[in-house]
Amino acid sequence: HRSVLFDRFKADRLLRLQVTHVEHHRLAADPIQGNVGGFFATVLHMEFSVLASRGELHRLGERFRRGVDLTILMLVPVSPGALVFRDAIVALAYGYGNFSSENVGLTASTFAAYSLGIIPLAVSILCQRLFYAFRVPRMLLIIECAALVVYLITAPMLGNRFGTPGLALARS
């Protein structure tokens, strides 16, 4: 597991655009890509809280937009890459032992459906920290309830039509 200090260091350097060419490629290949929003949110959460308590909404908005922009910038290649290379990724990770080619195909399709939600998930993590900074965690509950209602409506339809990947698509 990565330490919070390490995540804070990496995200802080990215936010200040102090990343060398070599570091950029290392970070781009890092498995933390699925949690990019998480480590930006870890760094920004305290700053969000301080700026919100001081009433510095303009600076807060700037920092939030910067975090969203960097999150999207880092994840734009990931989502299409996961779609295009889904079979190779899953075969490399699971295509051995008792995992048949049929299992690889189903898992790859499910992985592709989930990959459509990579960017929204990362941005939602930043939004969660923003709501916490404003001390309105109840809004998160409302949003999660709305997301659950959408899932409960779309899951049966997509699940019946596409099977397991359809359930993943409904969730992503």
Side-chain angles (χ1 to χ4, degrees):
H1 293 290
R2 299 185 190 285
S3 71
V4 172
L5 181 63
F6 178 73
D7 286 347
R8 288 183 63 97
F9 172 76
K10 278 179 30 178
D12 187 54
R13 291 196 57 179
L14 285 169
L15 288 170
R16 295 170 196 244
L17 296 177
Q18 296 175 341
V19 179
T20 68
H21 184 71
V22 173
E23 285 176 306
H24 172 73
H25 287 292
R26 185 183 56 77
L27 291 173
D30 199 332
I32 201 166
Q33 288 169 336
N35 198 19
V36 168
F39 78 77
F40 281 131
T42 299
V43 169
L44 292 173
H45 179 68
M46 186 174 293
E47 190 171 356
F48 285 173
S49 297
V50 169
L51 292 173
S53 68
R54 291 181 185 164
E56 297 180 37
L57 301 182
H58 181 71
R59 282 190 58 209
L60 177 62
E62 288 175 355
R63 295 305 286 175
F64 177 74
R65 281 189 296 281
R66 177 73 168 212
V68 169
D69 290 348
L70 288 171
T71 299
I72 290 171
L73 178 68
M74 290 191 65
L75 291 178
V76 161
V78 174
S79 191
L83 285 170
V84 171
F85 300 112
R86 65 182 179 260
D87 292 322
I89 292 168
V90 171
L92 179 66
Y94 299 108
Y96 55 87
N98 293 330
F99 217 74
S100 69
S101 60
E102 182 181 318
N103 292 341
V104 169
L106 178 62
T107 304
S109 298
T110 305
F111 176 68
Y114 272 124
S115 72
L116 296 174
I118 289 173
I119 293 173
L121 174 65
V123 171
S124 74
I125 293 169
L126 283 170
C127 291
Q128 289 173 2
R129 299 308 198 281
L130 191 63
F131 284 122
Y132 284 127
F134 281 120
R135 294 193 165 110
V136 285
R138 188 171 291 140
M139 183 59 74
L140 295 171
L141 177 63
I142 293 167
I143 292 169
E144 281 300 317
C145 288
L148 178 61
V149 168
V150 169
Y151 176 76
L152 291 174
I153 292 169
T154 58
M157 294 184 298
L158 293 171
N160 286 334
R161 181 162 176 132
F162 301 111
T164 304
L167 294 175
L169 185 60
R171 186 64 187 138
S172 67

